[in-house]
Amino acid sequence: LGDVYKRQVCDGGGSKSEFKLFWEDGRVLAHTRGPGANAIFLPQEKAAQAVCRGIGACLEKGGLTAGELAGAGLFIPGFGPCLGEVRRFLGHDRVQLAGDEKNAFYAALGGPAGIAVLSGTGSFATGRGRGGKEATAGGWGPLFSDEGSGYHIGAMCLNRLAWLHDRGLEGTLLETLALEALGAPDVLSLRRLAYQPGFDRSAVAALCPVVAAAARGGDERAGQILDTAAAALAGLAKTVADTLGETALPVALTGGVARMGDLMEDRFRAALAEALPACRWQRARYAPVVGAALCVLAETAGVDLYAAELGESLTKGMNGGTDLC
């Protein structure tokens, strides 16, 4: 195949990680999924093990060895101290590390300028102006903010359940679905459940689909939670736009929360129209792991993404990914 090389990327979030093995011309060799690898919130050893295991499984599925890789790109927050372990696992140092804002930008926009708002377990916005200036807002984690994230939505769900219980307002759809999802007999039992060691950020974020289901079922308070989240995400976009000094850029929402579809998309668009009236909303083009591949190809391999139109090719095989968790 001449000068067409093999590369691998990992998009590591708070709840899950995805791995993709591909040729530089966009053909996908393998795609796998595993547990979260965000080293800010996980012990370093656990984060490194998750990534090494995912890399190994993806290589095995693609029928390759580590030595055959032209390079690997990791898009994982806080993973710097773990990088040596991955290089030892691969047996070479052709590994690059970046934060997840890079691949989020390429995934959401598929173009050289704009603002990407990511809402997964955590949240942030990142943008690039037409002159090349870059800016990021959010991404500080739950103790600082993470407004509009899956964690924030889950925390608001718990807050609302407690508020309703204290006022004797029982039997709402939000309560019914949340208790069912958590396997809890009543709201009062959540006070103990929520403070158990295993009830972490991912467990809180896992309540996000519960809120979505309740909102679709007409639960007013669930809808209010999503309204608050959408407004917070639009606020992140505005912060980035103000920093860039450009308020008419395209804006896209990506990440797990965006997969609610119209339920969140319509709210985000309305909030964005109020916060940034001159912006041009667009639907996110690719998944974050595809954005990781596009970033590596553009910034490391020197591929002209917009001429090659590689995003669609890299998307193939996504539904057939092997789950490791």
Side-chain angles (χ1 to χ4, degrees):
L1 292 169
D3 294 329
V4 182
Y5 300 104
K6 312 174 190 77
R7 296 183 182 269
Q8 188 175 41
V9 292
C10 169
D11 166 47
S15 301
K16 67 176 179 63
S17 299
E18 293 195 68
F19 303 83
K20 187 175 284 290
L21 182 63
F22 56 95
W23 297 97
E24 284 188 6
D25 63 6
R27 288 174 296 151
V28 176
L29 285 162
H31 175 240
T32 58
R33 304 180 184 91
N38 187 320
I40 295 175
F41 303 106
L42 288 175
Q44 292 179 11
E45 181 180 358
K46 186 175 181 180
Q49 287 175 349
V51 172
C52 290
R53 183 182 175 212
I55 288 173
C58 197
L59 286 170
E60 182 179 357
K61 185 177 179 181
L64 297 180
T65 65
E68 295 178 89
L69 291 177
L74 309 179
F75 296 79
I76 312 171
F79 200 76
C82 311
L83 195 56
E85 184 66 27
V86 175
R87 286 173 170 159
R88 283 190 291 273
F89 174 79
L90 290 173
H92 59 73
D93 61 359
R94 298 189 298 276
V95 184
Q96 294 182 315
L97 175 65
D100 53 356
E101 70 281 354
K102 277 280 193 180
N103 60 312
F105 179 86
Y106 281 91
L109 295 160
I115 299 171
V117 181
L118 183 139
S119 178
T121 304
S123 64
F124 63 84
T126 184
R128 182 185 298 151
R130 294 181 179 87
K133 182 179 179 181
E134 298 182 353
T136 299
W140 289 85
L143 291 180
F144 292 87
S145 58
D146 262 354
E147 288 96 346
S149 67
Y151 175 86
H152 182 218
I153 291 170
M156 285 193 287
C157 174
L158 293 173
N159 174 274
R160 188 54 51 181
L161 293 176
W163 187 93
L164 290 167
H165 178 269
D166 286 349
R167 286 155 181 78
L169 301 173
E170 299 179 348
T172 64
L173 180 59
L174 181 63
E175 176 192 303
T176 300
L177 295 178
L179 293 179
E180 180 182 342
L182 294 170
D186 51 48
V187 173
L188 200 58
S189 67
L190 296 179
R191 185 161 54 189
R192 176 177 176 79
L193 175 66
Y195 292 104
Q196 297 304 303
F199 202 82
D200 55 12
R201 289 175 71 244
S202 297
V204 176
L207 287 170
C208 193
V210 170
V211 176
R216 289 194 187 280
D219 189 292
E220 179 182 357
R221 291 175 180 86
Q224 290 170 353
I225 289 173
L226 297 184
D227 289 340
T228 301
L233 295 172
L236 287 174
K238 185 178 189 310
T239 299
V240 170
D242 289 345
T243 302
L244 294 174
E246 297 186 46
T247 58
L249 292 167
V251 180
L253 177 66
T254 188
V257 171
R259 288 196 286 272
M260 288 184 190
D262 292 346
L263 193 66
M264 178 54 75
E265 181 180 292
D266 291 347
R267 286 177 163 84
F268 179 70
R269 292 181 70 176
L272 193 63
E274 183 174 343
L276 286 170
C279 77
R280 177 173 59 81
W281 175 86
Q282 71 174 53
R283 184 170 282 109
R285 295 190 64 180
Y286 310 113
V289 70
V290 174
L294 291 173
C295 181
V296 165
L297 291 176
E299 300 191 6
T300 302
V303 176
D304 185 347
L305 303 181
Y306 313 113
E309 298 182 354
L310 296 177
E312 286 72 17
S313 179
L314 288 163
T315 299
K316 294 178 180 177
M318 293 288 288
N319 294 331
T322 300
D323 289 310
L324 306 176
C325 46

